[in-house]
Amino acid sequence: MSEITIQEAKEIIAQEIENLARRNKEPEWMTRIRYKGLEAFEKAPHNDPVISKDELLRFIAKPEIEGLPEHIESLDDLPPEMKALLDRLGISEVEQKYIAGLAVQTDTGIIYNQFLQEWAKKGLIVLPMEEAVKKYPDVVKRHFLQMFSVNESKMAAYHTAVWNGGIFLYVKEGLKVPFPLHLFFLIQESALAQAPHIIIIAERNTEFHLIEGCTAPVLVRHSLHLDMTEAYIHDGAKVQLTVLQNWPEYVHTRPMTRARIGKNARFINTTVGLGTGRSNIANPKYWVEENGYVELNGIILGQKDWYVDLGGEMYLQGREAAGINASKAVIMDESTVITRGKIVAEAPRTKGHISCDALLMSDKAVMETYPGLVSRVDDAELSHEAAIGKIREEELFYLMSRGLSEEKATQLIVKGFLEPMLKDIPMEFLVEIRKIIELAVSGGM
């Protein structure tokens, strides 16, 4: 297709803003925020290493992938390779319908369990973001786009203008939710971009575990996925956020995550990247107050010619704040994985550690790691370690001498390498994750 100008792209975005405002019946203040994103889009910097400015403009002009089925009325309408993979994974028919978008009953496309209605009476509020904007406007105003600036990048400006879908999660002070909350959203209606916005508010002394996404590959129509998450973890709260990703190979994903962690609060953020898509670039940021703790865990399965660049910045702003940035990557085929971690100690007696482990499964696989440690005080403890290598011949030989085939032995070694990071994943997800790892290592994905 012919090149489009920035002005033409802005006109397309402006039309989408009006469509969303009308469709969502959203209040004027939210539409004004969208237009701020549009105003910033032209001059905001763009420094994506994979998607050029011209390519971004092309995505705006033609956001949906060609060749996918227009209307999915049954599982038989799924692309054959996707249906075959779901069958190999042993995904139940009910789950397959969710993945295909067939079981979504609401326009917003958020799937969640019925028990939430009972828990709402106790102070657990889970709503589609479009509904939260109207039902809790004062709370949303205080938290929406407070950790990001529309001027910081074209991606942030674009998300601000055309965001659609996402969740609003609020947990009342002192409430402890004893089971994981599993939410995943599918953009059902036609949209310019898949750009869900997520706000998490954990009031003082709350406890919960949020699992977002799913392990099986989801049918996505868009070339570009731009989700934005803002998490507010107040004093004494203990929050786990587990993000499960399995994107089709034609999707570019640009997740934007930021969190503020209060005094004596804990926030553990684990991303399991089973399918990173064509490229996945992220640089989450965390600000940690006195005696607060943040842990960023990343599991990366690099396949084909995919490009993954995962960062993570932690600012230890309160006395005795601590942070860990850990990643484990299994890199196959001709994929490239880059990990960057940065920990900045800004207060006394703070501690931070960066670790990166990678298993190279191919001579053409590439791994790079760039740790950054910055101390502005004289008694901080900051450290980093990295290990990049291949499966050792003696390990394979030992397992094969015990009767395992080379393929089974390789699968076992890879699963053992990743297992320490999966310790907090509920068993029903763990079973599927292990199957996907086995398939990927044996070339069955």
PDB file of all heavy atoms in Angstrom, residues 330-347:
ATOM      1  N   VAL A 330      14.757 -19.131  27.068  1.00  0.00           N
ATOM      2  CA  VAL A 330      15.110 -20.274  26.233  1.00  0.00           C
ATOM      3  C   VAL A 330      15.004 -19.776  24.794  1.00  0.00           C
ATOM      4  O   VAL A 330      13.922 -19.383  24.344  1.00  0.00           O
ATOM      5  CB  VAL A 330      14.163 -21.470  26.471  1.00  0.00           C
ATOM      6  CG1 VAL A 330      14.518 -22.625  25.536  1.00  0.00           C
ATOM      7  CG2 VAL A 330      14.235 -21.918  27.922  1.00  0.00           C
ATOM      8  N   ILE A 331      16.137 -19.763  24.086  1.00  0.00           N
ATOM      9  CA  ILE A 331      16.200 -19.079  22.789  1.00  0.00           C
ATOM     10  C   ILE A 331      16.488 -20.097  21.692  1.00  0.00           C
ATOM     11  O   ILE A 331      17.527 -20.757  21.699  1.00  0.00           O
ATOM     12  CB  ILE A 331      17.275 -17.970  22.817  1.00  0.00           C
ATOM     13  CG1 ILE A 331      17.119 -17.131  24.093  1.00  0.00           C
ATOM     14  CG2 ILE A 331      17.163 -17.079  21.593  1.00  0.00           C
ATOM     15  CD1 ILE A 331      18.268 -16.218  24.362  1.00  0.00           C
ATOM     16  N   MET A 332      15.543 -20.186  20.757  1.00  0.00           N
ATOM     17  CA  MET A 332      15.620 -21.205  19.707  1.00  0.00           C
ATOM     18  C   MET A 332      15.739 -20.561  18.329  1.00  0.00           C
ATOM     19  O   MET A 332      15.613 -19.343  18.179  1.00  0.00           O
ATOM     20  CB  MET A 332      14.359 -22.079  19.769  1.00  0.00           C
ATOM     21  CG  MET A 332      14.258 -22.891  21.048  1.00  0.00           C
ATOM     22  SD  MET A 332      12.643 -23.665  21.287  1.00  0.00           S
ATOM     23  CE  MET A 332      11.761 -22.352  22.097  1.00  0.00           C
ATOM     24  N   ASP A 333      15.992 -21.391  17.342  1.00  0.00           N
ATOM     25  CA  ASP A 333      15.959 -20.981  15.932  1.00  0.00           C
ATOM     26  C   ASP A 333      16.861 -19.768  15.689  1.00  0.00           C
ATOM     27  O   ASP A 333      18.027 -19.787  16.036  1.00  0.00           O
ATOM     28  CB  ASP A 333      14.513 -20.709  15.503  1.00  0.00           C
ATOM     29  CG  ASP A 333      13.591 -21.869  15.836  1.00  0.00           C
ATOM     30  OD1 ASP A 333      14.031 -23.017  15.646  1.00  0.00           O
ATOM     31  OD2 ASP A 333      12.467 -21.638  16.307  1.00  0.00           O
ATOM     32  N   GLU A 334      16.306 -18.703  15.101  1.00  0.00           N
ATOM     33  CA  GLU A 334      17.076 -17.487  14.815  1.00  0.00           C
ATOM     34  C   GLU A 334      16.551 -16.299  15.613  1.00  0.00           C
ATOM     35  O   GLU A 334      16.662 -15.154  15.186  1.00  0.00           O
ATOM     36  CB  GLU A 334      17.011 -17.182  13.317  1.00  0.00           C
ATOM     37  CG  GLU A 334      17.625 -18.267  12.453  1.00  0.00           C
ATOM     38  CD  GLU A 334      17.517 -17.964  10.968  1.00  0.00           C
ATOM     39  OE1 GLU A 334      17.393 -16.775  10.616  1.00  0.00           O
ATOM     40  OE2 GLU A 334      17.561 -18.908  10.163  1.00  0.00           O
ATOM     41  N   SER A 335      15.970 -16.583  16.769  1.00  0.00           N
ATOM     42  CA  SER A 335      15.377 -15.500  17.573  1.00  0.00           C
ATOM     43  C   SER A 335      16.450 -14.728  18.333  1.00  0.00           C
ATOM     44  O   SER A 335      17.544 -15.227  18.602  1.00  0.00           O
ATOM     45  CB  SER A 335      14.331 -16.058  18.535  1.00  0.00           C
ATOM     46  OG  SER A 335      14.913 -17.018  19.391  1.00  0.00           O
ATOM     47  N   THR A 336      16.096 -13.499  18.671  1.00  0.00           N
ATOM     48  CA  THR A 336      16.982 -12.612  19.428  1.00  0.00           C
ATOM     49  C   THR A 336      16.283 -12.194  20.714  1.00  0.00           C
ATOM     50  O   THR A 336      15.127 -11.750  20.685  1.00  0.00           O
ATOM     51  CB  THR A 336      17.318 -11.341  18.616  1.00  0.00           C
ATOM     52  OG1 THR A 336      18.042 -11.715  17.440  1.00  0.00           O
ATOM     53  CG2 THR A 336      18.158 -10.366  19.438  1.00  0.00           C
ATOM     54  N   VAL A 337      16.968 -12.335  21.826  1.00  0.00           N
ATOM     55  CA  VAL A 337      16.428 -11.891  23.119  1.00  0.00           C
ATOM     56  C   VAL A 337      17.430 -10.943  23.761  1.00  0.00           C
ATOM     57  O   VAL A 337      18.621 -11.255  23.875  1.00  0.00           O
ATOM     58  CB  VAL A 337      16.145 -13.082  24.060  1.00  0.00           C
ATOM     59  CG1 VAL A 337      15.735 -12.581  25.447  1.00  0.00           C
ATOM     60  CG2 VAL A 337      15.042 -13.974  23.492  1.00  0.00           C
ATOM     61  N   ILE A 338      16.942  -9.778  24.155  1.00  0.00           N
ATOM     62  CA  ILE A 338      17.763  -8.778  24.848  1.00  0.00           C
ATOM     63  C   ILE A 338      17.096  -8.490  26.184  1.00  0.00           C
ATOM     64  O   ILE A 338      15.889  -8.246  26.244  1.00  0.00           O
ATOM     65  CB  ILE A 338      17.866  -7.475  24.027  1.00  0.00           C
ATOM     66  CG1 ILE A 338      18.506  -7.759  22.654  1.00  0.00           C
ATOM     67  CG2 ILE A 338      18.689  -6.423  24.777  1.00  0.00           C
ATOM     68  CD1 ILE A 338      18.417  -6.586  21.688  1.00  0.00           C
ATOM     69  N   THR A 339      17.856  -8.534  27.268  1.00  0.00           N
ATOM     70  CA  THR A 339      17.300  -8.163  28.572  1.00  0.00           C
ATOM     71  C   THR A 339      18.093  -6.982  29.125  1.00  0.00           C
ATOM     72  O   THR A 339      19.323  -6.933  29.033  1.00  0.00           O
ATOM     73  CB  THR A 339      17.346  -9.324  29.577  1.00  0.00           C
ATOM     74  OG1 THR A 339      18.705  -9.731  29.778  1.00  0.00           O
ATOM     75  CG2 THR A 339      16.539 -10.512  29.072  1.00  0.00           C
ATOM     76  N   ARG A 340      17.348  -6.040  29.655  1.00  0.00           N
ATOM     77  CA  ARG A 340      17.962  -4.845  30.252  1.00  0.00           C
ATOM     78  C   ARG A 340      17.327  -4.650  31.627  1.00  0.00           C
ATOM     79  O   ARG A 340      16.101  -4.645  31.757  1.00  0.00           O
ATOM     80  CB  ARG A 340      17.660  -3.601  29.409  1.00  0.00           C
ATOM     81  CG  ARG A 340      17.988  -3.732  27.938  1.00  0.00           C
ATOM     82  CD  ARG A 340      17.441  -2.539  27.152  1.00  0.00           C
ATOM     83  NE  ARG A 340      17.444  -2.812  25.724  1.00  0.00           N
ATOM     84  CZ  ARG A 340      18.470  -2.576  24.920  1.00  0.00           C
ATOM     85  NH1 ARG A 340      19.575  -2.053  25.420  1.00  0.00           N
ATOM     86  NH2 ARG A 340      18.409  -2.855  23.636  1.00  0.00           N
ATOM     87  N   GLY A 341      18.128  -4.471  32.625  1.00  0.00           N
ATOM     88  CA  GLY A 341      17.595  -4.178  33.948  1.00  0.00           C
ATOM     89  C   GLY A 341      18.312  -2.965  34.508  1.00  0.00           C
ATOM     90  O   GLY A 341      19.504  -2.773  34.276  1.00  0.00           O
ATOM     91  N   LYS A 342      17.584  -2.145  35.217  1.00  0.00           N
ATOM     92  CA  LYS A 342      18.203  -0.975  35.839  1.00  0.00           C
ATOM     93  C   LYS A 342      17.618  -0.805  37.236  1.00  0.00           C
ATOM     94  O   LYS A 342      16.399  -0.744  37.397  1.00  0.00           O
ATOM     95  CB  LYS A 342      17.939   0.279  35.000  1.00  0.00           C
ATOM     96  CG  LYS A 342      18.597   1.546  35.561  1.00  0.00           C
ATOM     97  CD  LYS A 342      18.303   2.741  34.666  1.00  0.00           C
ATOM     98  CE  LYS A 342      18.913   4.024  35.220  1.00  0.00           C
ATOM     99  NZ  LYS A 342      18.575   5.199  34.382  1.00  0.00           N
ATOM    100  N   ILE A 343      18.482  -0.756  38.226  1.00  0.00           N
ATOM    101  CA  ILE A 343      18.051  -0.515  39.602  1.00  0.00           C
ATOM    102  C   ILE A 343      18.771   0.721  40.113  1.00  0.00           C
ATOM    103  O   ILE A 343      19.996   0.807  40.047  1.00  0.00           O
ATOM    104  CB  ILE A 343      18.340  -1.726  40.512  1.00  0.00           C
ATOM    105  CG1 ILE A 343      17.593  -2.971  39.995  1.00  0.00           C
ATOM    106  CG2 ILE A 343      17.926  -1.426  41.944  1.00  0.00           C
ATOM    107  CD1 ILE A 343      17.824  -4.221  40.819  1.00  0.00           C
ATOM    108  N   VAL A 344      17.990   1.685  40.597  1.00  0.00           N
ATOM    109  CA  VAL A 344      18.541   2.939  41.103  1.00  0.00           C
ATOM    110  C   VAL A 344      18.248   3.029  42.601  1.00  0.00           C
ATOM    111  O   VAL A 344      17.087   3.080  43.018  1.00  0.00           O
ATOM    112  CB  VAL A 344      17.925   4.158  40.370  1.00  0.00           C
ATOM    113  CG1 VAL A 344      18.553   5.454  40.891  1.00  0.00           C
ATOM    114  CG2 VAL A 344      18.125   4.029  38.864  1.00  0.00           C
ATOM    115  N   ALA A 345      19.310   3.026  43.402  1.00  0.00           N
ATOM    116  CA  ALA A 345      19.169   3.143  44.858  1.00  0.00           C
ATOM    117  C   ALA A 345      19.210   4.622  45.238  1.00  0.00           C
ATOM    118  O   ALA A 345      20.234   5.275  45.057  1.00  0.00           O
ATOM    119  CB  ALA A 345      20.284   2.373  45.555  1.00  0.00           C
ATOM    120  N   GLU A 346      18.099   5.119  45.755  1.00  0.00           N
ATOM    121  CA  GLU A 346      18.003   6.542  46.078  1.00  0.00           C
ATOM    122  C   GLU A 346      17.866   6.809  47.577  1.00  0.00           C
ATOM    123  O   GLU A 346      17.777   7.959  47.986  1.00  0.00           O
ATOM    124  CB  GLU A 346      16.800   7.156  45.343  1.00  0.00           C
ATOM    125  CG  GLU A 346      16.904   7.057  43.821  1.00  0.00           C
ATOM    126  CD  GLU A 346      15.705   7.647  43.104  1.00  0.00           C
ATOM    127  OE1 GLU A 346      14.697   7.921  43.790  1.00  0.00           O
ATOM    128  OE2 GLU A 346      15.775   7.837  41.875  1.00  0.00           O
ATOM    129  N   ALA A 347      17.833   5.730  48.379  1.00  0.00           N
ATOM    130  CA  ALA A 347      17.634   5.889  49.826  1.00  0.00           C
ATOM    131  C   ALA A 347      18.554   4.932  50.575  1.00  0.00           C
ATOM    132  O   ALA A 347      19.018   3.926  50.005  1.00  0.00           O
ATOM    133  CB  ALA A 347      16.168   5.627  50.177  1.00  0.00           C
TER     134      ALA A 347
END
